[in-house]
Structure formats: structure tokens, C-alpha cells
Amino acid sequence: MLNDRDTQNISADMTNPFMAKCLSPTKSRPASRDRDRENHDDPMAALREGLGRMDIATSSGGGMAGEDKKGKDGGRGRDLDRFVPSRPPSIHHSSHSSITLPTLALDTPDVSINDQSAHDVSSASISASLGIPTGQRRILSFRAAPPRASHATSHLDYQRNYLLHSSASASRGTTTTGPGASGKKRSPPYIPDRVLDAPGFQDDYYLNLIDWSSANRVAIALGDMAYVWDAETGSVTSLGEGTSAQIPITSVSWSTDGCYLAVGLDTGDVEIWDVEEGKKMRTMTGHSARVPSMSWFGHTLSSGCKDGSIWHHDVRVARHKVMELSGHTGEVCGLTWRADGGLLASGGNDNVVNCWDGRIGASVLQTDDGVPKATAKWTKRNHTAAVKALAWCPWQNSLLATGGGSADQHIHFWSSTTGARTNSLKVGSQVTSLVFSPHAKELLSTHGYPDNNITVWTYPGLARVYDVPAHDARVLCSAISPDGCTVATAASDENLKFWKIWEVPQGKKGQDSGEGRGKMTAGLR
């Protein structure tokens, strides 16, 4: 850099600002003032003078020249980067830094760092080149993550999420991504269509206390009383009102036509009720213990007993017991006929699944009283807990699904033709019931400990479509409506809830609309 001695014999070239003189601290200031007064009429000369000095100033706009800083610092000077450009105000006055950044300033009377218009233009151009958003908004914001919800309030979070997204129903829901997925977005029913109070509902895993008839009526047992709720009219009637016997009801089951209701009692008796007339038709005795499961096919009622026996009752004749099935050593808590009546599936507290031939009276074996006695067509012992959940597939006649209790937590799929296990699914909680959809290749499962939820699965991909926390206590029973769209669930929280799970395909709505009372047009009122 040129000193005072050298610059005395060299004329300053004002066309090159970097060749301007650098005056000493004692002489430069008066000379500078003289030149400012001489070049007052020439702004370009003043601009060149300022660029020649290349003074460095702080963003506070104090206008302190580098020579003055050197004098005040005792000759040590301040190590400043003269090539740092002007910072935007958002960076200059950042609340996260207490250091004021240096800026390139022009210490001239005409071009000032405090000129707001020049500063805005410079900041805007630099912000645009660096990709920094303009305006006063913050670029980054720090926010603490919300606390994770506890298991006790998880159902509230699901409902809150449903309400927040209710305005965007077209894009709401969970998309199935696993094998066999349809790719359509589904809306999980976080809120049931209807909730009915069910006081006195027994908290017993082995009992089957609700059923939905083909005439669109729901039967539920509460303590020692059975009630029938008409889903079309909303009316409720009780069966056996005014009776003196206080015997707990352990199971209910509708006949195929929906006209008669079978009621199993804790004493082992089975009652048949005409719901239209509101009177009891007959009582069938013989079981030595309670009857926790029943299933109809035509005029035959099959009942499972706590002692492990299964009886076939012909409700048309006086000697109602027409066959006995022996294959369980524990309580028979699951029992269901296939739709065509060819096979009967049973599950028990002995962790056994049995499949029985549906032909009644075909066995050559007999009991002591002359009643035919049959053995299981095949037996499976893959479950490690009680098997209550059983379901036959409506669109694949040979497919049977079974679910195990708390110590098992599995759903197994069986071929009834060969008895082979075709698939298995680990669900992580107690399986209390299973329902196949008649309209889609999907399966609904209800669960107890520890989740108390309902889950929809695809088949055969076994991908989870969605999972909904259904009750505050374990879901014990379920029943599907006659149109195959709504599922009713009951739990020990004393609530009976109705969930709209599936939709009737467009092609079937017009074809099946007239098939009997409640067929394909079942509704809730």
C-alpha cells in the first residue's frame, strides 16, 4: 500500500479507485474535508473518493473510518473483512447473535449507509441471489415436539383426527398398501353410527350374547333378560318379562328365517322364543352345564356345552336331541354352521378346532339312549389358547378362519376340504370374533386385551386396512347386519355399538333390493 512519502510525487488517478491516496490519520482528515468542499458540485468525484478509501463501518451506521479505529485501538487495529457484503436486516438484527456483523460502507455525505431506499434495494437483490425469503417473516422456527399420547387417550386422538379431517372426506382414510390391496382410500369409522346402552352385559369371554337376524333385529342378553331391538323401527322389546326365575343367559342365536330366537341358559336348558308373538315356544333340556354357544341351520339347532359336548336339536319333534358330537374336553365357546349346511365348525377352551360332517344321523355309533354319535372330520391343535372366534368365508366355501385367546393371539385359515392350514396371522391381542365381508375380500376381527379394537384385513394378502379403538373394555361379541355392511359390537363397558364397515357394490343395490324384509336395505333408526 502506498505511503505518504511515495504519494507526494505521484498524481492520484481518480479513474481507478484502488490507486487513490491513503492519508495518514493526522493529515488525511483536513485534506479530505477540503476535497469534499472542492468536489461538492461533482457527486461522482465524491463517490470515487469514498470508494478509494474503502472504509469499513459497523451495521450500526456509526461511520467510523478504519484510520480512527486504528488510533483508538492503540495501533493494533481490528481485523475486519472488507469484502463482506451488506446483510439483510433479518440476519443483521438476529436475536440469536449478540455480535453485529460488519458491512461495506461509503463514508461520503452523498451516499450514506442510512439511506433506506438504497439499503432496501441492496438487501432485496442479495436476498434474491441467495434464495433468502424477503419480508419480516422468520426463516427458521424452533418448536418443541408435542408429548406422545398415552394408551388411555389413544381413542380420543383417533376421534380428534377424524374430526379434523372430516371436511376432506374424499381424500381421508388409510390406503391399503400390502399384497391384495385394492388401492382405494378408506375412511376408518372412528365414530360408530349408533351407540346403545347395555347395562348388565356380562364380562365373560366364553359367552355369545348378541346376534343379528335376517329380519334386521338385534338380540342381546343382559343378565337374566333377553332384549330384541328392531333396527328399522328403533323399538325394543324384552323376552320373558315378569318371570320369577333369575337364571343368567349365556347365549342367543337367531333362526335362519329370523322368526325364532334360541336362548341358552346357565342351567343347561335351551329356550325357543317366537319373537313376533312374544312368547316362549318350548324348553329343551338335557345339558349338564351352561350353554355358551349355539348355531342354526334350517330346523336344526346345535348347542355347545361347558362339559365339551355338542348336541343337534330338531325343534320340530318332541325328542329334540337327534345327534351328539364328542371331540372337546373343554367348554365349547365357538360354534358355527357353514352356509350350505355341509360342515359345522367348533372351538373350545381346550384350544382345539374341530370340523364336523353336517349329515345328521349318518353315524353308526350311538349313545346310551340310542342317539347317533359322531366324531370330528378333522381336528386341529395349532392354537395355544381358547378358540372362540370362528367364521366361514361367504365367497370361498371351503375357507374357515379361527382366532385364539390371550395366550395365542393368532388367526389361522384352514381349508375345510383337506384340513390343511393355508395361512396364519399374528394380531398381537386376544381375538374374540371374526366376520367375513360378503361384498369384499376382507375379514374383520374384534379384539380384547390389550387393544380392545376392531381391525379390517385383506385376504389373501392379510394386509391391515385400518385399525379402530372400538370400546373402553375388551370387545366380547360381534354380529353382522343382513345387508353385510354394518357390524355390531358389544363389550363389558356396557355399550352396544354399530359400525359401518363396508358398502354394497353398485351392481348389487338394484338386484337385491327386494329379497325379503331387511335384505340389502337394512338400516339403523
Side-chain angles (χ1 to χ4, degrees), residues 13-21 35-36 39 42-54 106 108 111:
D13 184 6
M14 300 305 295
T15 61
N16 187 352
F18 294 97
M19 297 299 295
K21 290 183 179 181
R35 279 193 298 272
D36 290 341
N39 298 327
D42 187 5
M44 294 303 298
L47 179 60
R48 294 190 192 98
E49 182 70 19
L51 291 173
R53 286 195 298 272
M54 294 296 289
L106 301 178
T108 62
V111 183

Side-chain angles (χ1 to χ4, degrees), residues 53-67:
R53 286 195 298 272
M54 294 296 289
D55 297 326
I56 303 299
T58 62
S59 63
S60 60
M64 182 180 293
E67 292 84 352

Side-chain angles (χ1 to χ4, degrees), residues 459-518:
Y459 188 85
L462 301 183
R464 190 192 304 266
V465 180
Y466 56 73
D467 191 19
V468 176
H471 290 265
D472 295 332
R474 59 178 179 173
V475 185
L476 295 171
C477 309
S478 69
I480 190 170
S481 61
D483 63 356
C485 297
T486 304
V487 175
T489 59
S492 55
D493 60 0
E494 299 185 342
N495 286 322
L496 177 63
K497 297 184 178 182
F498 298 86
W499 310 86
K500 187 65 174 294
I501 305 297
W502 297 289
E503 296 287 344
V504 179
Q506 295 294 330
K508 292 185 178 181
K509 289 183 177 179
Q511 298 174 5
D512 302 334
S513 59
E515 294 185 7
R517 180 175 181 265

Side-chain angles (χ1 to χ4, degrees), residues 309-324:
S309 63
I310 301 173
W311 288 9
H312 290 322
H313 307 269
D314 190 338
V315 299
R316 303 171 300 175
V317 298
R319 296 189 61 180
H320 54 86
K321 182 181 177 182
V322 293
M323 198 166 190
E324 181 177 340

Side-chain angles (χ1 to χ4, degrees), residues 200-231:
F201 192 85
Q202 298 184 59
D203 185 11
D204 193 328
Y205 171 80
Y206 303 100
L207 306 185
N208 295 270
L209 301 177
I210 65 170
D211 197 17
W212 204 327
S213 74
S214 59
N216 205 17
R217 296 189 182 101
V218 178
I220 183 171
L222 303 177
D224 58 347
M225 189 74 65
Y227 295 88
V228 176
W229 178 71
D230 195 318

